Amino acid sequence: MNPFAYQRVEAPDAALQAIAIHNAKFLGGGTNLVDLMKDGVESPSTLIDINHIGLNKVLVNANGATIGALVRNSDLANDPAIVAHYPLLSHALLSGASPQLRNMATTGGNLMQRTRCFYFMDTAFPACNKRVPGSGCAAIQGFNRIHAILGQTDEGATSAHTCIATNPSDMNVALAALDAKVEIQSAKGKRTLPLADFHRLPGTTPEVDTNLHPDELIVAVTLPPAKFAKNSWYLKVRDRQSYAFALVSVAAGLEMDGDTIRSAGLALGGVAHKPWRSPEAEHALAGKPATRETFQRAAELAVAGAKPYEHNAFKVELAKQSIVRALTQASKGAQA
Amino acid sequence: MIRNNQARPTPEGQLEHRYDGIAKVTGKAKYAAEFTEPFPKKDLVYAYIVHSTIPSGSIASIDQKEAERAFGVIAILTPFNVPKLTSAKPHNLSILQDTDVHYNGQPIAVVLASSLPFARQAARMLTIKYNQQPAKLNFMGRLDEARPPKQGGREQPGTQRGDLAASMAKATVTVDETYITPLQNHNPMEPHATIAWWEGEELNVYDGTQYISGVKMSLARILNLPLENVHVQCPYTGGGFGSKGTAWSHVTLAAMAAKVVQKPVKLVLERNQMFGPVGTRPTTVNKIKIGADASGKIVGIQHDAIMNTSVMDDFVEHSAGTSRMLYNSEANATTEKMVEMNLGMGTYMRAPGEATGTAVLEIAMDELAHKLKMDPVQLRLVNYAETDPSRNRPFSSKHLRECYTQAAENFGWSKRNAEPGQKTEGNKQIGYGMATATYPANRSAASAIVRILPNGRVFAGSGTQDIGTGMYTIMAQTAAAALGLDPTLVDVKLGDSALPKAPVSGGSQSTASVLPAVDAAARQAKLKLFQLAMQDTHSPLYNAKDTDIETKDGHIFLKSNPSTGESFTALLTRNGAAPIEAEGSAEPGPDKNSMTTQSFGAVFAEVAVDKDTHMVQVRRVVGTYDIGTLMNNKTGLNQLMGGIVWGVGFALHEEAVIDPVYGRTVNGNFADYHVPVNADIGDIDVSVLNIPDTKFNPLGSRGIGEIGITGAAAAVANAIYNATGKRVRNYPMTPDKIMQA
Ligand SMILES: Cc1cc2nc3c(=O)[nH]c(=O)nc-3n(C[C@H](O)[C@H](O)[C@H](O)COP(=O)(O)OP(=O)(O)OC[C@H]3O[C@@H](n4cnc5c(N)ncnc54)[C@H](O)[C@@H]3O)c2cc1C
Ligand code: SF4
């Protein structure tokens, strides 16, 4: 680990002042950042510990929900109002990591967690555009089983633009399906980004994960009034029953009118550089009867244009089967 | 029969709890890396190994100027500055004697600093330049380059019995498929660790090892020291599974570094550094052909295995070995060949050969049973080997038939639907599968020392190891039983090379090797105790005959009249309060080669496979084993259960993936190298027949450390087939493979 300074701040304003230090980073639960520092992937000059700045409340009312950036993943998942109104979010959170990690992980930190691409996480691999811009992408010719099939940039292994990494978060997938917004503050003021615009595709700058600027602080995540409390399902397909990242995950929320779908929220995890929300699929579900045919059509649309690699070709079919399953379950009621 | 899920009293003579249990759960048990004595703690220097980042070539230069100036750095050892050794360099180690790079992750330098973080940080400041060479990394694409092993392993790499072609021609049903097991890493909980310090020309080490005598011999040989100058201690080993059976590079590097800095040096591997430098289980590709007649009788078995080996040296994973002896067959032919790769060394890993061998052969048997429309248990009974078909000699004791019957009954095998894909529960497909388990019963020469102390306690010592298996516990029991004493009154010492020599804690041999030695030493001590009493005019046993004397509960007395006697304590106190001491040794008998000593078992599994996600839940595993006498219920059944858990991981999770370009393990950490977690394991029901094998050793006990993993993987694989109708022949059986089968 590189030597670094540690600074504890007690209020959001102090955090925003401190972040002006060159190459400083916020420290949430530290479950991602500290690991990356130990392994030499990240080397911030200063850690600004924001664990004591407040922003740790969950508020749910008729206007929706406001979740403080420092709310722990466990607290959020078990918050009675979240469980009642946004079970999709609760289930997504509980499917992630382990109890110990969830007890530490924060909402802001989870939004910002970095990819688990093997080549990004191990500095002994020389080629990774995300870690060392311009170095190429080892995943293209390497072991790409956990990598993206949608929205990636692939201009060849040696191109500085190439990146086929995925966003590993479960929480983010549910937030995408729930139409969340991210509230952001900087020394200059406040702004709000829809979740869909918070994470980004690699484009030509794979080193940039999100549209958050380095001097900005996430203060909260907000959710619109709950539409899917009665009919939602988070499905996570993974290599073991617990404590594994998703091969593919599906967050499905349905607003039902008898057997007809009034509206739908559908997002995929494990397939792209950001939670993959499919407006086409959602559109194809709206106004349709909740039948297998409807779900299959949505599944086709959701993965349309997928471009898989040597080791992850299975994701296309697995995603489709998972979407149909999650939608079927959601149409039957809420997840227990 | 002794079964884990049935309440049972602790049998007489057994310790109810592990001897070392309290020390372990309270943190008092010290592992190699935790010692801060006898040297001054402040003198301890921390070493960090720098590993190569290319798979093949040589190191052109290492610029260490910046690193040398880094805070806390004491020394940096590289191939360019390290003291050259006069001994021949072992092929399987990387101890900085040359600049060659054979694999990605190979040790190429050691940074020594006043703290571990300083050492790690300085390691990143080294600028290393390589001359890269083309690397041999593609295994599956180079199978046609396979060659026989350079030197034999513990078995023949190729065998032939009967006329295979002629016998196969008689087959009415044939299975002919290829089965693959992946590269695996042992990953014991305790990382490999060594603390080394010198006192003049005497070298001391604490080392997390399965073989203190092996470490001693390796260090003496490599560093050109008289054997008696090397002292090795290892009171506890946090698992090894074969990866600590060899003194790998870090052990020598720690000793070399301690010499250079003239201080005690601590070297602990990081998890990531355990993927390569401390051995792997090779990938095996197994082409298996089995032919049977209409009655299910096997006429021929052909098993051709190809595995990867390291460019440094060969290691044979005998995955074809099981196919030679598990079932009768008129003809039998096996080959084992290797493809060289730029990877770290292969080595023994829990049930080397049998874990992989049963994993593949037992799927082939299931396929055969399905083709014959025969119950898989019945097929195995039809081909039951009463004697060892591979060596044409009897088994010392074999009760596999009872294992099949008992395990099938405990499991409820009769409820199985032979037609796959028939049983569903909601979105889940339910399947049953079974397989045979087997592992040889090994035994080597061992020695021990026993002392009867005047305070009523007994000391038992042997230079063996407790790798988490229960050696402390059963040594105490054995000494106590031989002397006639409560086992809680025995103090055990092991893991110190000053003690009488014992073999490697590998090959499931320690129980069968060390306990007879402890037993012999205790009996010697008891005879001495008898002599003392018989010659002591003040003893009630004065002038008695030794054949008339007995001991029990710490008392020595006349068999014919137990009230004529006294306590050990009274006798010893009266005679100068000196302890009675005796050494004992034991080794396999002269008839060793006239019989095959082998353990067996039957293992059954139930799985639920999700029809959309293709995720597998192992609901329960039932195993019954014929392992001779069970020495301790808790530690014994535990090992069988642990083996089964590993079998489940073998079936579903474990695989070290090597990058095809850089040759580095891509998932060399516990987040990405998957082993089962609690949620993956359902009910495990293990039982043992507990039939003594006294032809093998006087205690009738065969080792149990490894047999649990055998058969378990195939039982799960066969259950997946029964659930889904999909036959996966490539471990691990992850959701994608099941979906695509
Ligand atoms: C072994 C393992 C398994 C895991 N499995 C899963 C899984 O299955 N599913 C899953 O979803 N996740 C999983 N995780 C990831 C886990 O969810 C994340 O590590 C966690 O959510 C990160 O939150 P944190 O608060 O600890 O972030 P930190 O590590 O503290 O920070 C992460 C990043 O966010 C930034 N940051 C933190 N807070 C703010 C803020 N308020 N404003 C701006 N920037 C901020 C930090 O500067 C840093 O760059 C796993 C992690 C591990 C180690
Ligand atoms: S996929 Fe992205 S993160 Fe992974 S190696 Fe390529 S550039 Fe790096």
Side-chain angles (χ1 to χ4, degrees):
Chain A
M1 195 180 306
N2 278 310
F4 61 91
Y6 169 86
Q7 190 177 338
R8 174 171 156 172
V9 291
E10 310 281 341
D13 285 348
L16 290 173
Q17 267 174 28
I19 201 69
I21 298 168
H22 177 70
N23 204 13
K25 281 213 155 202
F26 295 126
L27 176 72
T31 60
N32 189 216
L33 181 55
V34 175
D35 279 3
L36 294 174
M37 287 168 66
K38 282 189 194 160
D39 288 340
V41 179
E42 299 225 40
S43 39
S45 67
T46 309
L47 284 186
I48 314 293
D49 182 350
I50 54 174
N51 284 280
H52 308 274
I53 64 170
L55 306 181
N56 54 2
K57 300 270 180 321
V58 181
L59 218 117
V60 181
N61 59 29
N63 299 325
T66 305
I67 301 156
L70 272 303
V71 174
R72 307 278 168 192
N73 285 178
S74 313
D75 292 336
L76 182 57
N78 296 310
D79 183 280
I82 294 292
V83 172
H85 299 285
Y86 304 95
L88 186 59
L89 177 58
S90 177
H91 280 283
L93 283 161
L94 290 176
S95 75
S98 66
Q100 294 90 335
L101 286 159
R102 295 194 296 266
N103 286 343
M104 289 305 292
T106 61
T107 309
N110 197 327
L111 276 172
M112 295 293 288
Q113 69 168 292
R114 309 213 63 187
T115 184
R116 307 301 290 200
C117 171
F118 312 116
Y119 305 96
F120 170 75
M121 304 220 11
D122 184 349
T123 57
F125 288 108
C128 171
N129 286 324
K130 194 179 273 303
R131 180 163 42 77
V132 183
S135 60
C137 172
I140 296 290
Q141 286 162 7
F143 184 59
N144 40 41
R145 180 168 180 265
I146 65 168
H147 289 78
I149 54 170
L150 289 159
Q152 70 270 34
T153 302
D154 180 1
E155 297 176 6
T158 53
S159 162
H161 299 164
T162 297
C163 179
I164 62 171
T166 56
N167 181 303
S169 167
D170 291 296
M171 180 188 85
N172 294 347
V173 186
L175 291 181
L178 291 169
D179 230 349
K181 290 193 170 65
V182 184
E183 296 198 347
I184 297 164
Q185 203 173 335
S186 72
K188 284 170 243 141
K190 291 188 175 179
R191 67 180 181 126
T192 301
L193 275 177
L195 194 98
D197 298 331
F198 182 82
H199 300 99
R200 57 189 295 284
L201 294 177
T204 56
T205 51
E207 69 276 17
V208 189
D209 292 355
T210 69
N211 288 315
L212 190 81
H213 303 140
D215 61 346
E216 289 181 315
L217 175 73
I218 300 167
V219 291
V221 170
T222 62
L223 298 173
K227 284 197 293 187
F228 308 135
K230 290 208 200 84
N231 296 88
S232 68
W233 201 267
Y234 189 75
L235 181 70
K236 180 171 178 177
V237 187
R238 46 185 151 177
D239 283 329
R240 60 184 168 194
Q241 297 287 333
S242 172
Y243 199 44
F245 287 93
L247 293 168
V248 163
S249 71
V250 184
L254 296 174
E255 197 185 3
M256 300 294 295
D257 188 356
D259 289 336
T260 306
I261 300 163
R262 190 180 300 152
S263 73
L266 184 70
L268 298 179
V271 296
H273 197 257
K274 60 191 275 188
W276 192 257
R277 186 157 172 201
S278 172
E280 296 81 6
E282 290 175 3
H283 189 73
L285 290 163
K288 300 280 165 24
T291 60
R292 196 170 173 83
E293 291 64 44
T294 305
F295 299 150
Q296 276 167 340
R297 166 123 184 87
E300 292 294 340
L301 289 168
V303 298
K307 181 177 175 294
Y309 291 86
E310 184 181 354
H311 306 107
N312 71 358
F314 70 91
K315 281 193 180 181
V316 182
E317 180 59 27
L318 187 61
K320 285 197 266 185
Q321 294 186 10
S322 303
I323 292 168
V324 173
R325 169 70 168 275
L327 287 168
T328 307
Q329 298 280 12
S331 70
K332 291 182 188 162
Q335 201 163 1
Chain B
M1 197 186 64
I2 301 168
R3 194 167 167 189
N4 72 321
N5 60 0
Q6 281 173 348
R8 50 173 199 276
T10 304
E12 193 178 328
Q14 287 194 10
L15 283 171
E16 186 183 358
H17 301 295
R18 281 171 201 279
Y19 176 93
D20 48 346
I22 290 176
K24 281 190 174 165
V25 297
T26 56
K28 288 204 181 77
K30 273 196 185 163
Y31 291 84
E34 298 179 302
F35 284 90
T36 50
E37 298 167 327
F39 42 80
K41 187 182 173 189
K42 63 169 179 36
D43 283 359
L44 202 54
V45 170
Y46 295 80
Y48 183 77
I49 289 189
V50 182
H51 43 65
S52 68
T53 56
I54 65 156
S56 177
S58 60
I59 306 163
S61 65
I62 298 183
D63 181 348
Q64 60 188 64
K65 282 197 262 345
E66 194 193 344
E68 261 166 7
R69 284 196 299 267
F71 193 82
V73 170
I74 294 166
I76 298 170
L77 306 187
T78 73
F80 304 105
N81 67 12
V82 82
K84 289 289 177 255
L85 301 170
T86 49
S87 60
K89 174 188 158 327
H91 292 298
N92 60 346
L93 299 187
S94 314
I95 45 178
L96 314 185
Q97 297 303 299
D98 55 47
T99 56
D100 296 351
V101 175
H102 300 297
Y103 66 97
N104 195 326
Q106 176 188 315
I108 53 168
V110 180
V111 180
L112 297 140
S114 56
S115 82
L116 180 60
F118 293 150
R120 283 185 100 218
Q121 179 58 17
R124 293 220 179 94
M125 298 176 179
L126 294 172
T127 306
I128 301 164
K129 296 229 163 69
Y130 299 97
N131 293 317
Q132 230 174 301
Q133 293 290 324
K136 297 173 176 172
L137 294 173
N138 184 348
F139 173 61
M140 292 307 285
R142 289 169 49 237
L143 294 181
D144 54 349
E145 291 176 24
R147 55 152 175 84
K150 284 182 214 146
Q151 69 273 346
R154 75 189 148 99
E155 293 173 37
Q156 292 290 318
T159 55
Q160 197 141 9
R161 204 172 69 235
D163 182 342
L164 189 74
S167 293
M168 281 292 191
K170 294 186 230 162
T172 51
V173 175
T174 315
V175 170
D176 188 358
E177 296 288 350
T178 298
Y179 307 87
I180 301 173
T181 70
L183 205 70
Q184 297 174 340
N185 289 85
H186 313 66
N187 276 311
M189 282 301 281
E190 179 204 23
H192 294 65
T194 307
I195 295 177
W197 74 102
W198 292 79
E199 293 169 74
E201 284 305 298
E202 305 261 321
L203 170 62
N204 302 285
V205 301
Y206 289 115
D207 188 42
T209 178
Q210 294 172 246
Y211 193 19
I212 49 172
S213 297
V215 171
K216 180 178 165 122
M217 290 186 286
S218 294
L219 285 172
R221 190 175 59 243
I222 298 167
L223 300 174
N224 233 334
L225 293 167
L227 197 57
E228 60 275 14
N229 282 23
V230 184
H231 312 284
V232 183
Q233 290 180 69
C234 177
Y236 301 96
T237 305
F241 309 112
S243 73
K244 291 178 186 161
T246 306
W248 295 106
S249 312
H250 65 277
V251 183
T252 305
L253 289 173
M256 286 163 59
K259 186 103 193 178
V260 170
V261 298
Q262 293 288 310
K263 293 251 174 79
V265 165
K266 168 148 112 179
L267 204 174
V268 182
L269 297 192
E270 296 185 326
R271 182 60 57 186
N272 180 258
Q273 296 175 331
M274 292 164 69
F275 289 80
V278 293
T280 59
R281 192 200 295 276
T283 314
T284 69
V285 175
N286 305 273
K287 192 168 158 19
I288 300 181
K289 187 172 175 184
I290 311 182
D293 67 18
S295 72
K297 214 165 150 276
I298 295 173
V299 292
I301 299 180
Q302 182 180 3
H303 184 155
D304 298 305
I306 300 179
M307 64 207 68
N308 67 270
T309 189
S310 170
V311 291
M312 294 188 287
D313 208 350
D314 278 357
F315 169 79
V316 190
E317 169 79 17
H318 287 292
S319 66
T322 310
S323 298
R324 296 166 193 160
M325 57 77 63
L326 199 53
Y327 302 109
N328 275 336
S329 65
E330 203 175 275
N332 188 298
T334 65
T335 61
E336 287 169 334
K337 291 187 176 161
M338 21 224 353
V339 175
E340 278 182 25
M341 289 183 71
N342 284 100
L343 290 180
M345 283 295 302
T347 198
Y348 309 98
M349 179 160 154
R350 202 174 196 174
E354 288 77 12
T356 45
T358 54
V360 294
L361 174 66
E362 290 297 276
I363 303 184
M365 286 295 283
D366 200 64
E367 299 207 49
L368 184 65
H370 193 75
K371 280 195 172 173
L372 286 160
K373 298 200 184 334
M374 193 174 207
D375 184 278
V377 177
Q378 185 57 28
L379 175 65
R380 285 160 175 89
L381 290 174
V382 167
N383 295 289
Y384 195 85
E386 293 289 354
T387 56
D388 176 358
S390 67
R391 298 180 192 86
N392 199 18
R393 63 189 189 189
F395 289 108
S396 56
S397 164
K398 175 173 176 177
H399 301 275
L400 173 58
R401 211 177 257 117
E402 291 95 309
C403 295
Y404 290 131
T405 315
Q406 196 59 61
E409 190 185 313
N410 293 352
F411 181 82
W413 180 248
S414 59
K415 297 196 199 79
R416 167 178 178 267
N417 190 331
E419 205 45 52
Q422 297 305 304
K423 196 169 170 192
T424 58
E425 285 175 21
N427 292 308
K428 308 238 182 274
Q429 298 183 292
I430 313 301
Y432 290 0
M434 64 80 58
T436 308
T438 190
Y439 192 77
N442 297 312
R443 185 180 173 198
S444 306
S447 308
I449 183 166
V450 166
R451 274 185 217 120
I452 306 172
L453 305 172
N455 64 2
R457 296 189 71 84
V458 161
F459 169 88
S462 173
T464 180
Q465 303 72 216
D466 192 323
I467 56 176
T469 44
M471 188 44 89
Y472 277 107
T473 309
I474 56 177
M475 275 177 68
Q477 287 179 192
T478 304
L483 288 171
L485 190 83
D486 189 285
T488 58
L489 295 173
V490 182
D491 299 310
V492 179
K493 183 160 188 199
L494 49 74
D496 188 331
S497 62
L499 291 163
K501 201 172 157 187
V504 57
S505 297
S508 299
Q509 68 173 338
S510 284
T511 297
S513 306
V514 177
L515 295 193
V518 173
D519 184 59
R523 283 174 197 282
Q524 284 299 318
K526 187 159 117 177
L527 272 183
K528 287 188 181 175
L529 188 76
F530 286 8
Q531 300 294 338
L532 189 67
M534 286 149 48
Q535 287 158 15
D536 178 357
T537 49
H538 297 288
S539 172
L541 300 169
Y542 178 62
N543 263 345
K545 282 214 314 244
D546 58 3
T547 46
D548 294 338
I549 309 176
E550 187 51 279
T551 56
K552 198 176 176 210
D553 295 335
H555 279 72
I556 176 167
F557 52 84
L558 275 184
K559 278 182 199 165
S560 57
N561 181 10
S563 60
T564 304
E566 61 180 330
S567 68
F568 297 178
T569 311
L571 174 61
L572 290 184
T573 313
R574 204 171 49 243
N575 283 276
I580 286 179
E581 178 177 301
E583 277 204 40
S585 297
E587 58 184 16
D591 54 351
K592 182 177 178 238
N593 292 324
S594 67
M595 61 191 173
T596 295
T597 53
Q598 185 94 12
S599 286
F600 292 94
V603 54
F604 292 73
E606 175 181 336
V607 303
V609 185
D610 190 287
K611 68 177 177 44
D612 297 314
T613 67
H614 313 283
M615 285 171 67
V616 179
Q617 174 89 57
V618 178
R619 290 181 161 182
R620 45 193 195 103
V621 180
V622 176
T624 300
Y625 300 90
D626 169 29
I627 47 85
T629 309
L630 188 68
M631 296 308 297
N632 182 278
N633 290 357
K634 183 183 255 182
T635 63
L637 297 175
N638 244 234
Q639 288 186 71
L640 293 170
M641 290 164 74
I644 287 174
V645 170
W646 205 337
V648 171
F650 192 125
L652 302 179
H653 307 127
E654 273 197 62
E655 175 173 21
V657 179
I658 302 297
D659 181 79
V661 178
Y662 300 100
R664 192 175 171 78
T665 310
V666 296
N667 57 343
N669 63 74
F670 264 158
D672 297 317
Y673 184 92
H674 289 163
V675 297
V677 295
N678 265 325
D680 291 299
I681 302 300
D683 186 44
I684 298 181
D685 169 358
V686 291
S687 49
V688 299
L689 301 178
N690 208 27
I691 302 172
D693 182 357
T694 45
K695 283 190 193 155
F696 175 51
N697 70 53
L699 300 170
S701 180
R702 298 195 293 251
I704 48 173
E706 293 167 90
I707 191 169
I709 187 176
T710 71
V716 171
N718 294 337
I720 292 172
Y721 174 74
N722 183 246
T724 61
K726 293 178 177 185
R727 188 63 81 177
V728 184
R729 300 185 181 88
N730 187 354
Y731 291 97
M733 304 192 178
T734 47
D736 48 325
K737 289 185 190 159
I738 295 172
M739 182 184 83
Q740 291 169 324

